[in-house]
Amino acid sequence: MIENDEIVLIEDNPIDSELAIKALRKSGVKGNIRVLNDGAEALDYFFGMGNYKGRKTLVLPRFVLLDLKIPKVSGLEVLDLIRANRFTNAVPVIVFSSSAVQIDIQEAYKKGANSYLVKPIDFEEYSSMLSSLTRYWLMFNRTSY
Amino acid sequence: MSQTNKVKTTAIKDSMTSFSDHSFKTMIDQSPNATSIYSINGELLYFNEAFVELWRIEPDKIEGLYKTYNIFLDPNFAGFIGEIKKVYLKGVSWKASPKKIKLNNSVEEVYVGSTFFPLKKENDEISEIVLIQENITNLLQSNAELRKNIKEISVLKDALDVSNIITEVNGEGKLIRVNAKFYEISKYTESDLNSLLISDLRTGNMDDSLYEDLWKTIRKGKIWKGEMENRSKTGEIYWTDTTIVPLVKSSGKASSYLGLSSNITERKTAEREIIKLNSNLEKEVEKRTMDIEAAVGELEAFSYSVSHDLRAPLRAITGFSGLLKEEFGDDLNEEALRYLEIIQKGTKQMAQLIDDLLHFSRVGRIELKKMIFDPNPIVQEIIKKERAERNKNCKFIIQSLPPIFGDSNTITLVYTNLIINAIKFTKDVTKPIITIGSKESEDEIVYYIKDNGVGFDMRYADKLFKVFQRLHSAQQFEGTGVGLAIVSRIIHKHGGRVWGESYPGSDTSFYFTIPNKTEDDRE
């Protein structure tokens, strides 16, 4: 078991990521929160390429918050590639999207999302959602690594 | 032998003077034609049985004729005496034109043809004349009929000639006979006919099996009918509706084949035009469908984008105003906090509007899955939930609702919206009562929801179901004005009607109808 406290946030909107970070911190996350700004950067991170060359790719984050509508490589493609690789396929991926469109939800689960959350607009709801999420994935859930 | 013959024999014995040839007399006796012999003075000398029959001479009068009848005194021949005398004088026979004669003791008139010819002695002297008479009434009648028939046939032929192409073809497919119409339409001329085969008219566009079937049929002696495409000498296409009749010889084998064809080129051209128009129409429909699909696709992309991109800045506003309040709330005075409050409320409202708008546009695109279902449990479920969430004081009176033929998911939305509305608009009433029921009229069932709430001004009833149209201020009743628009959209998609009625100080009701299952709905 490789100890790692990192949480990965794949999100292109800086306001959204700041908000997410605030909410995560509020809910007691102490470890590193890594923001990946687009799909390509996410792939670099997971597979040790580009700016992440040399990264210990076997070290997986505690969980990934994935927005679907991100530049370059879409969220669903990123999810697909993470699941296709035997070193990365065990990481919990929580889709965190603005879209409540049924087809997005279905596609995400089909590609192996662990959970699908629609970002609430109301900040209180937003905070409490992320707080529950953190509690579940960091405290209760056991990963395979 | 009859009585008359005996009498005649006696008469001949007595009267015969110049001719005594027995065989001649036998011949006259046997003749089917009325034959009589006269002396040069016109006295009746001899006659046969056919003569008696023709003139309907009564048996007791026969003997008397020899003494009294004289051809020159017969009023029937009054105009021909000169001609009869010529037969005596010149020794040539004469044929009188048919004459209408009134028969003895009868009202019946017959046409009689008379031929006179002389009998000569050995020295060429004329001894007697023979008169052969024949009742030609029937003959004349049938001739007249024949002429009439021929005339009719020729009228028919003329008519046929004018409208039809007539061709006669022999067993080898060579044209034997054609009418003027053939030349007119095929543009071939008489001089072409010798070398022309019926197959020269083929266009090559028709299936060979058609010609095979044609020849097989007519060679069997059967009539063939069909539509044929032909090519004229000048290369123009003309269509015919053709009937081919084998002309059968006495041997039983067809010697030639008669073709009757009407020119149906115009009809065929029109048919082609229709087919072409239909195909164009189909293409047009296909194109329009594609356009619509593209438009729907764009709309889908638009809604998707709205749901994503419009929410992000809203989240920023609510998020950071929330953080502002949370982190710096202590530093802000009351007025600043009130402003923050307004910002958050505004963004919440905006978020609700976006959600409703998306919802409304989605309802428009939902495909209805119609089936017969019981709305009662659905209504119970909605009431249970909404009453608990919105106003527990609300009293519901629920009648048993008849089954609905429709899409249960969207009808659930209809009831949800109408029930939420009813609860909302009865919130200020001390004893809110909401009645859900239906009434049956002649040909439809009207479902309704009645409440004793504030109601609405009937003058603006037409605005009720329009999206984002509100009849109450936001302070009075919150809402975005989408609920009833969704209701109306769903009901209209079902082919039903929806309307509202409200009277001040009385009840407010919303009604809708859903058509019954029709032929179109059956699969």
Side-chain angles (χ1 to χ4, degrees), chain A residues 11 13-16 18-19 22 26 67-69 97-101 103-104 116 118-124 126-127, chain B residues 304-305 307-320 322-323 325-327 344 347-348 351-352 354-355 362:
Chain A
E11 170 67 75
N13 186 334
I15 294 168
D16 264 7
E18 191 182 339
L19 214 54
K22 288 257 183 207
K26 240 179 77 176
D67 189 11
L68 290 182
K69 218 179 159 221
S97 164
S98 295
S99 169
V101 179
I103 189 100
D104 281 343
Y116 191 110
V118 178
K119 294 178 190 167
I121 285 171
D122 184 82
F123 183 65
E124 273 169 44
Y126 186 94
S127 300
Chain B
Y304 189 83
S305 169
S307 78
H308 273 83
D309 301 341
L310 229 55
R311 273 175 220 243
L314 277 183
R315 213 163 28 247
I317 299 167
T318 51
F320 285 94
L323 284 171
K325 196 174 146 193
E326 224 174 80
E327 290 175 20
Q344 287 195 305
T347 43
K348 252 187 216 174
Q352 189 61 50
I354 291 168
D355 282 346
R362 220 169 12 242

Side-chain angles (χ1 to χ4, degrees), chain B residues 274-309:
Chain B
I274 287 168
I275 291 167
K276 203 175 129 197
L277 283 175
N278 276 346
S279 127
N280 282 350
L281 199 65
E282 266 167 38
K283 272 182 207 151
E284 184 66 18
V285 168
E286 217 168 276
K287 190 184 162 284
R288 290 276 170 91
T289 310
M290 275 166 68
D291 287 351
I292 290 168
E293 275 168 7
V296 168
E298 264 171 40
L299 196 69
E300 206 108 12
F302 172 76
S303 323
Y304 189 83
S305 169
V306 163
S307 78
H308 273 83
D309 301 341

Side-chain angles (χ1 to χ4, degrees), chain A residues 1-133:
Chain A
M1 200 160 102
I2 302 150
E3 281 293 331
N4 184 20
D5 270 349
E6 194 160 85
I7 288 171
V8 166
L9 187 60
I10 307 176
E11 170 67 75
D12 66 311
N13 186 334
I15 294 168
D16 264 7
S17 46
E18 191 182 339
L19 214 54
I21 292 164
K22 288 257 183 207
L24 287 171
R25 290 280 178 239
K26 240 179 77 176
S27 60
V29 171
K30 299 278 189 293
N32 187 34
I33 300 173
R34 182 178 299 278
V35 179
L36 304 170
N37 293 298
D38 58 53
E41 194 185 351
L43 294 179
D44 284 351
Y45 170 84
F46 280 104
F47 303 114
M49 302 178 300
N51 289 339
Y52 294 92
K53 202 161 185 171
R55 190 186 83 84
K56 288 179 187 163
T57 53
L58 289 180
V59 179
L60 292 173
R62 297 293 298 270
F63 64 83
V64 178
L65 278 177
L66 173 69
D67 189 11
L68 290 182
K69 218 179 159 221
I70 47 175
K72 295 180 188 170
V73 181
S74 82
L76 287 177
E77 282 173 273
V78 170
L79 177 59
D80 220 10
L81 291 164
I82 289 174
R83 287 291 177 252
N85 186 291
R86 68 190 177 96
F87 298 112
T88 57
N89 65 6
V91 69
V93 177
I94 297 119
V95 173
F96 196 50
S97 164
S98 295
S99 169
V101 179
Q102 201 58 31
I103 189 100
D104 281 343
I105 300 172
Q106 284 165 357
E107 279 302 301
Y109 279 119
K110 215 185 276 175
K111 293 203 180 334
N114 294 81
S115 185
Y116 191 110
L117 302 172
V118 178
K119 294 178 190 167
I121 285 171
D122 184 82
F123 183 65
E124 273 169 44
E125 280 176 47
Y126 186 94
S127 300
S128 83
M129 182 183 275
L130 282 186
S131 150
S132 313
L133 178 97

